[in-house]
Amino acid sequence: MNTVIQIVFYGLSLSMLFFLLSSGFSLIFGLMGVLNFSHGSMFMWGCYFAYLAYVYTGNFWLMLIAGAVGIGVMGLLMEKFLIRPLKGNHTNQILLTFGLIYVLDELAKIAFGTRAYLVSAPEWLQGSITVGPENIPKYRIFMIIAGIVIFIVMTLLLQKTKLGLIIRAGIDKPRMVQAIGIDVQKVFLVTFALGCALAGLGGAIAVPFMGAYPSIGTEQIFNAVAVVVVGGMGSFLGSFYASLILGFAQYIVSYFFPELAMASTLIIMLVVILFKPNGLFGGKKSE
Amino acid sequence: MSKNNKLKWIIPLVAVVVLLVIPFISASSYVTSLLTSICIYSIFAISYDLLLGYTGIASFGHALYFGLGAYILAYTTVRLHWPVVLALVMVLVVCVIISFVISFITVRVKNLYFNMVTMALGQLFYVMSTKYYKITGGDDGLPGVKPLIANKTGFYILVVIILAVVFLFCHRVVNSPAGSVLKAIKNNEERTGLLGYNVLKYKTLIIQISGIIAGLAGVLYVSSVRIAYPTMLHSSLTLQALFMVVLGGTGTLYGGVIGAVIMKIEESALSGITTRWMLILGIVFIVVILFFPSGTAGIFKKLASRKKKTEQPPALPETKP
């Protein structure tokens, strides 16, 4: 019973972390076809922005906003000056984002050094709640709630607003969207910034939980890639389900065989590519 | 045409002779070790160019083979006391198996999956190398590797010869009928398949050749620095391969060599000033991708073709089919 409760809460919080990490990655890929390998580094910078806001203001909510807005602006600049000039050449775009990983990582090392910075959660999120026989840290529960809230907000944004309509249409039939006179460039810009902001928010939420250190980005991009493959390229709902699958799988495996956690994710990913290359939950068809 | 071909062979031949002579002219062991690492990185870059430049697929975990070659040689000779030949066979077998698994899973689907799977596998092996302390020595690495040839100059000459052989071999591969199919795959995979070529077979083949050569580079590297450590598996090494090929020019083979020369000289010049030379590498890489996507070799090619154009008589008007 103990084990089950622990697995449910810890697995769920890990899943939500994966979701925050990968939803923006998936959104950008689905609409623009850009596989942004530097997404993990954006996440890492989100941690640092949040850390800075925490140091200067000490306000938890401002910290989350700083992560999201800071990385959103970074995404805006990146799309305008690095992604757009390549005019849709996807290979070069991937190569560029891969190179950007090292620029962002090295900049972080210059600015903050290689040590890990810890941020403590606000008082009302410290300590733990007793669930049955098990004590679950409050911050884990906050992460789960935050993940679900962001999922709902994003779903509403995609389903109920005009921007969401255009994004969904752009994922399904990009040419048609352009043909009916919508400025696709502007939509790309907004989506890219939004996707990056999600990474930044994810980093800000993760910072009291895992701290801020430079190699977070290269560690986490692995999980983002796996979620996108399992959930289906560009499917927002798919990335939510895939985060749940991979989060639980990774937690359960690491509970019993700690050293095989990453390998389990890789194996799930490879099996999905072999048998359902479009992902378990649909998503964009292979061109 | 034959004269032109002869000219083409003179430059690499001269380069090899110069490389072989240098250690006997300058006695500085620094120059020899710099040249050794340039040659080893050139081999690594050439293996990368086979994928990116000739087949149009980008691997984001190419350091995997390099590191595997290094770690297997280190582990089998240091810990298991195997003879070197047996260790080399082991490297070959493992590189073939790994590249076969990667290609088996990814060649059937879009190249994007190849990008992602190589990325994920590379990360996995890197993390494993830092965690499985008993086998890999963790962050301390596996020291005490015996070089293939104890004499530094002798080892350097071996590396130059291997580089020449690898270059010649890859040159033969890309200029063979199979090489033409690879280039066709790069240009239009679907059409190549429709023409009746077994695209999967060719892609699998080139992924394996590339993996084996990268593993060989790792073997040479570990035997020159005498220690295997996790950075040899890190994706920053993949970025360096990518950088060398893109900077030198993709799809040329010699572009990788040019890139290796530029990168290693930059590294040895900058690492004295700053430990964060990867930052400068990354920025230069991004600028090259943005503004000079065909690299240094592309600039040469452009100049050469401009020269040719002025020499050649005006082309016949195109006839439309």
Side-chain angles (χ1 to χ4, degrees):
Chain A
M1 190 60 197
N2 271 16
T3 318
V4 173
I5 290 172
Q6 205 178 336
I7 285 175
V8 166
F9 280 93
Y10 282 61
L12 209 54
S13 62
L14 191 63
S15 303
M16 287 308 129
L17 187 68
F18 286 180
F19 171 68
L20 290 172
L21 175 73
S22 61
S23 54
F25 184 66
S26 170
L27 195 68
I28 291 170
F29 177 77
L31 181 69
M32 304 169 60
V34 178
L35 197 62
N36 180 13
F37 274 148
S38 63
H39 200 78
S41 304
M42 298 271 182
F43 181 85
M44 177 261 297
W45 269 96
C47 295
Y48 280 119
F49 278 136
Y51 166 76
L52 284 181
Y54 172 80
V55 168
Y56 287 109
T57 65
N59 185 317
F60 181 67
W61 300 108
L62 275 179
M63 183 179 116
L64 298 188
I65 291 170
V69 172
I71 303 302
V73 171
M74 222 155 118
L76 214 66
L77 296 173
M78 181 178 164
E79 204 279 338
K80 202 158 166 52
F81 296 107
L82 297 179
I83 301 294
R84 192 178 297 176
L86 291 173
K87 299 191 186 82
N89 181 335
H90 292 321
T91 306
N92 281 357
Q93 283 169 343
I94 299 177
L95 297 185
L96 187 138
T97 62
F98 190 68
L100 196 62
I101 293 176
Y102 297 94
V103 175
L104 292 175
D105 283 14
E106 294 295 307
L107 282 176
K109 283 180 199 162
I110 290 173
F112 300 99
T114 47
R115 59 170 284 227
Y117 291 93
L118 295 174
V119 170
S120 53
E123 254 171 52
W124 56 277
L125 282 175
Q126 282 172 2
S128 50
I129 292 175
T130 314
V131 182
E134 197 65 44
N135 284 328
I136 305 293
K138 279 184 193 164
Y139 201 77
R140 290 268 183 181
I141 293 170
F142 172 75
M143 276 167 66
I144 297 170
I145 295 170
I148 293 170
V149 167
I150 289 164
F151 171 69
I152 292 170
V153 170
M154 283 302 295
T155 309
L156 287 178
L157 182 82
L158 285 174
Q159 301 293 336
K160 302 285 179 199
T161 65
K162 193 170 172 225
L163 175 70
L165 188 73
I166 296 171
I167 291 176
R168 278 186 297 136
I171 290 174
D172 284 340
K173 298 230 158 44
R175 284 177 186 220
M176 196 55 135
V177 172
Q178 206 156 10
I180 58 174
I182 289 165
D183 186 356
V184 176
Q185 288 289 340
K186 211 185 270 170
V187 180
F188 277 9
L189 187 68
V190 173
T191 310
F192 200 91
L194 185 68
C196 290
L198 278 174
L201 184 61
I205 290 176
V207 91
F209 165 71
M210 58 208 285
Y213 54 95
S215 61
I216 268 190
T218 37
E219 281 168 25
Q220 293 301 329
I221 188 67
F222 171 82
N223 292 319
V225 166
V227 167
V228 169
V229 168
V230 174
M233 308 261 177
S235 159
F236 188 76
L237 201 61
S239 68
F240 185 73
Y241 292 138
S243 301
L244 287 174
I245 293 174
L246 291 173
F248 273 102
Q250 214 174 87
Y251 187 74
I252 291 170
V253 173
S254 70
Y255 189 86
F256 296 106
F257 316 97
E259 273 153 354
L260 293 178
M262 260 179 104
S264 71
T265 305
L266 184 82
I267 290 166
I268 294 175
M269 180 178 156
L270 296 184
V271 169
V272 168
I273 293 180
L274 264 180
F275 297 106
K276 282 208 70 148
N278 287 327
L280 295 180
F281 306 98
K284 208 177 186 184
K285 288 256 154 51
S286 305
E287 283 145 31
Chain B
M1 197 61 194
S2 69
K3 205 178 173 186
N4 201 2
N5 266 350
K6 261 183 203 162
L7 256 176
K8 257 188 193 164
W9 283 110
I10 286 173
I11 299 173
L13 208 67
V14 169
V16 169
V17 170
V18 168
L19 281 176
L20 286 177
V21 168
I22 284 177
F24 298 104
I25 299 170
S26 112
S28 146
S29 72
Y30 172 72
V31 173
T32 314
S33 65
L34 180 66
L35 284 175
T36 309
S37 78
I38 286 178
C39 291
I40 294 172
Y41 272 76
S42 300
I43 297 173
F44 189 43
I46 287 173
S47 78
Y48 198 88
D49 198 18
L50 284 180
L51 287 182
L52 182 67
Y54 287 94
T55 323
I57 47 185
S59 160
F60 292 101
H62 213 56
L64 177 66
Y65 303 109
F66 190 92
L68 273 177
Y71 266 104
I72 291 168
L73 186 81
Y75 186 73
T76 53
T77 57
V78 174
R79 294 277 170 88
L80 304 178
H81 307 289
W82 286 13
V84 174
V85 179
L86 204 60
L88 290 177
V89 172
M90 191 68 192
V91 172
L92 183 73
V93 170
V94 172
C95 284
V96 167
I97 292 174
I98 295 275
S99 56
F100 178 76
V101 169
I102 292 178
S103 51
F104 180 77
I105 292 171
T106 57
V107 289
R108 260 153 269 267
V109 281
K110 272 200 297 183
N111 284 344
L112 208 61
Y113 288 93
F114 183 80
N115 302 343
M116 297 201 285
V117 167
T118 49
M119 166 86 162
L121 259 183
Q123 284 299 95
L124 180 75
F125 273 81
Y126 169 69
V127 172
M128 270 169 38
S129 75
T130 59
K131 279 190 181 161
Y132 286 87
Y133 189 83
K134 274 183 196 155
I135 298 173
T136 63
D139 285 326
D140 301 333
L142 280 173
V145 181
K146 284 196 191 103
L148 296 174
I149 295 177
N151 183 335
K152 262 197 166 180
T153 316
F155 180 72
Y156 167 68
I157 288 173
L158 174 75
V159 171
V160 172
I161 291 170
I162 291 179
L163 170 62
V165 171
V166 165
F167 188 86
L168 211 64
F169 173 74
C170 293
H171 188 80
R172 286 301 292 250
V173 168
V174 298
N175 288 308
S176 67
S180 312
V181 178
L182 292 177
K183 285 173 210 162
I185 291 174
K186 185 187 177 186
N187 284 332
N188 193 330
E189 193 172 332
E190 215 167 294
R191 195 177 291 168
T192 316
L194 290 175
L195 281 172
Y197 292 105
N198 189 342
V199 171
L200 304 187
K201 206 177 81 187
Y202 284 99
K203 274 168 105 178
T204 308
L205 182 75
I206 201 69
I207 291 169
Q208 295 204 344
I209 292 177
S210 170
I212 292 166
I213 295 173
L216 179 67
V219 164
L220 292 174
Y221 193 71
V222 77
S223 130
S224 91
V225 297
R226 300 181 189 195
I227 174 172
Y229 47 87
T231 321
M232 289 178 177
L233 282 161
H234 195 247
S235 54
S236 62
L237 191 68
T238 305
L239 179 79
Q240 291 178 23
L242 189 57
F243 179 80
M244 291 184 281
V245 171
V246 168
L247 187 70
T250 51
T252 55
L253 294 184
Y254 63 85
V257 182
I258 299 175
V261 172
I262 297 175
M263 194 189 78
K264 276 287 144 186
I265 290 177
E266 187 211 351
E267 183 191 349
S268 67
L270 288 176
S271 56
I273 307 164
T274 167
T275 50
R276 303 264 87 94
W277 64 278
M278 276 298 284
L279 172 68
I280 297 160
L281 186 77
I283 292 173
V284 173
F285 175 76
I286 287 174
V287 169
V288 169
I289 291 272
L290 278 177
F291 301 107
F292 314 100
S294 53
T296 319
I299 298 168
F300 285 144
K301 262 189 184 167
K302 233 181 223 169
L303 289 175
S305 68
R306 197 177 287 166
K307 224 180 183 181
K308 237 180 234 166
K309 254 182 207 160
T310 51
E311 282 168 5
Q312 276 168 359
L316 291 169
E318 268 180 46
T319 46
K320 275 185 187 165

